[in-house]
Amino acid sequence: MNQQVIDREFRGQDILSAQQFSRQGLLELFSFAERMRKIARREVRTQVLGGYVMGSFFFKESTRTRLSSEAAFQRLGGSVITFIDPKFSSIVKGETFEDTIATVDSYCDIMTIRFEHAGQAALAAQIAEHPVVNGGDGSGEHPTQALLDSYTFKEAAPFDITREPFTVALVGDLREGRTVHSLVPMLTTLCDQVAFQFVAPDFLQMPLELINLARDRGCPVTLTDKLIDGIGPADAVYMVRPQLERMRNDEERDQWKGVADRLCLNRPMIEEHCKPNVLITHPLPRNKEIATDVDQMPNALYLKRQIENGVLIRMALDVFILGKQEKFV
Ligand code: NCD
């Protein structure tokens, strides 16, 4: 695949779904992200996005996605506009989503948004003239998180996950967690031989369409509600929190309480049941699903590596979308 195709894949594009990328595009983005590290650490300075403005419009809670997107843009010399709090936007005065997006679109060159419902980032992209990056739409997708998670797996695994068999256990609320809804399709694109262990109580299992997508792409899928069975064969474990705010009723929340303790990972369990170099990952925020005794293990990647990679990946993505790669040769 030539550079022009990759350029068309990113330049001026909305980033709405993990399914929009090709393997070649992912690999180019990941190798570019590596080049961003020195800038992110201020060893090298750049003004490559000087004069550009990113709109950072988060209408739902966020720590990492919002702040890493903003840090990424500013590390490249760009500036950011944002709401102090969406409660101070005119949406509370009854302004429609459509009018709000049309307005903020004219203030910026690219926007990252998080909204409440699946599909709303795509709707914003239809309204906005500038590229829209989906920072998480309800229980829909979270494509930039999948980019940073896949990049982390690729750089931290002791073998080439794109070519060799790679087994990932995804554990927790797989029904509503948007990060896993993006990660599964992205890994099927990136890897020749990825296998999935979906570990969840039945009522929170992975949506059928994603199970089918993985199987249709030739990826073995195992469903289990037993943590130890799920993590045993895994090269990487990806834990997610219960999306309590999206559970349908108190009955579901009670059902979760009944099984939550059985889906918590701790250090003795990893040492006894996992492969020696297993990667332990989590998009964060965590509740109780990873005990703090795991944090200091060398293969626990969630508190440092994934977080740092979130900035690098978002920097690379901004450069690609705004078509500034050639400034780095
Ligand atoms: C997640 C999100 O908001 O989807 N976190 C993140 O963006 N790093 C995970 C979650 O809320 O469970």
Side-chain angles (χ1 to χ4, degrees):
M1 206 175 283
N2 65 33
Q3 183 55 43
Q4 262 236 309
V5 176
I6 297 307
D7 224 41
R8 278 209 299 275
E9 194 169 324
F10 290 96
R11 191 191 287 247
Q13 294 299 310
D14 304 305
I15 305 298
L16 302 176
S17 164
Q19 297 196 42
Q20 74 191 73
F21 301 100
S22 68
R23 177 184 298 196
Q24 189 61 26
L26 292 175
L27 293 176
E28 297 232 353
L29 187 76
F30 293 172
S31 71
F32 202 80
E34 195 45 54
R35 296 174 60 190
M36 298 292 101
R37 199 178 297 274
K38 284 202 160 124
I39 303 170
R41 291 181 175 168
R42 278 192 308 117
E43 290 160 22
V44 171
R45 297 214 181 189
T46 177
Q47 287 296 322
V48 73
L49 297 188
Y52 282 85
V53 174
M54 181 184 82
S56 171
F57 304 126
F58 282 69
F59 295 87
K60 295 297 289 179
E61 306 75 16
S62 173
T63 297
R64 277 149 289 266
T65 306
R66 182 166 78 82
L67 296 178
S68 65
S69 301
E70 295 182 4
F73 210 77
Q74 297 190 45
R75 292 277 190 217
L76 292 163
S79 33
V80 173
I81 54 170
T82 188
F83 295 115
I84 298 169
D85 182 323
K87 286 197 218 74
F88 294 111
S89 77
S90 287
I91 284 200
V92 281
K93 299 188 212 166
E95 184 163 55
T96 61
F97 176 74
E98 285 80 357
D99 288 359
T100 303
I101 296 296
T103 303
V104 296
D105 182 40
S106 68
Y107 301 147
C108 61
D109 305 295
I110 178 172
M111 69 175 91
T112 302
I113 73 158
R114 171 171 288 185
F115 229 88
E116 190 165 0
H117 303 294
Q120 251 170 329
L123 186 60
Q126 280 170 20
I127 298 161
E129 280 174 26
H130 297 107
V132 172
V133 177
N134 178 4
D137 56 339
S139 55
E141 284 218 40
H142 196 341
T144 62
Q145 181 70 39
L147 288 170
L148 82 89
D149 294 333
S150 305
Y151 173 59
T152 304
F153 289 149
K154 184 172 179 302
E155 64 146 18
F159 60 91
D160 181 1
I161 65 160
T162 68
R163 300 279 169 227
E164 293 174 46
F166 178 50
T167 299
V168 186
L170 298 129
V171 183
D173 181 351
L174 307 182
R175 185 184 74 187
E176 303 292 337
R178 58 189 163 214
T179 65
V180 293
H181 299 167
S182 288
L183 186 57
V184 168
M186 189 168 287
L187 289 175
T188 66
T189 304
L190 180 67
C191 306
D192 279 342
Q193 303 181 63
V194 62
F196 295 105
Q197 307 276 106
F198 293 150
V199 187
D202 283 351
F203 76 107
L204 294 178
Q205 254 304 353
M206 187 65 84
L208 195 57
E209 65 199 79
L210 284 164
I211 297 174
N212 289 340
L213 174 144
R215 287 190 171 142
D216 290 347
R217 294 179 180 184
C219 307
V221 171
T222 304
L223 306 180
T224 177
D225 59 0
K226 305 215 166 30
L227 182 59
I228 289 181
D229 294 354
I231 61 178
D235 300 298
V237 175
Y238 188 87
M239 303 293 293
V240 293
R241 73 178 172 95
Q243 307 276 308
L244 293 170
E245 70 278 26
R246 286 188 233 287
M247 287 192 189
R248 290 170 189 162
N249 46 43
D250 287 343
E251 205 177 298
E252 280 201 350
R253 277 181 279 273
D254 286 344
Q255 243 180 306
W256 171 256
K257 274 188 215 144
V259 296
D261 287 349
R262 277 181 262 151
L263 291 172
C264 291
L265 202 58
N266 59 40
R267 188 168 185 147
M269 199 184 280
I270 295 170
E271 286 167 349
E272 187 175 344
H273 298 284
C274 288
K275 290 185 177 176
N277 291 321
V278 65
L279 308 177
I280 307 295
T281 59
H282 193 309
L284 302 179
R286 87 173 128 181
N287 290 352
K288 292 184 188 151
E289 55 281 352
I290 304 183
T292 51
D293 63 356
V294 180
D295 297 355
Q296 299 312 321
M297 294 179 80
N299 45 349
L301 306 181
Y302 42 91
L303 287 178
K304 272 207 95 136
R305 202 115 160 214
Q306 277 173 286
I307 291 177
E308 184 183 10
N309 286 346
V311 177
L312 305 185
I313 277 291
R314 292 180 171 112
M315 288 172 78
L317 198 57
D318 291 332
V319 171
F320 275 33
I321 295 172
L322 295 171
K324 297 287 175 194
Q325 292 101 299
E326 70 277 7
K327 301 272 184 203
F328 288 86
V329 284

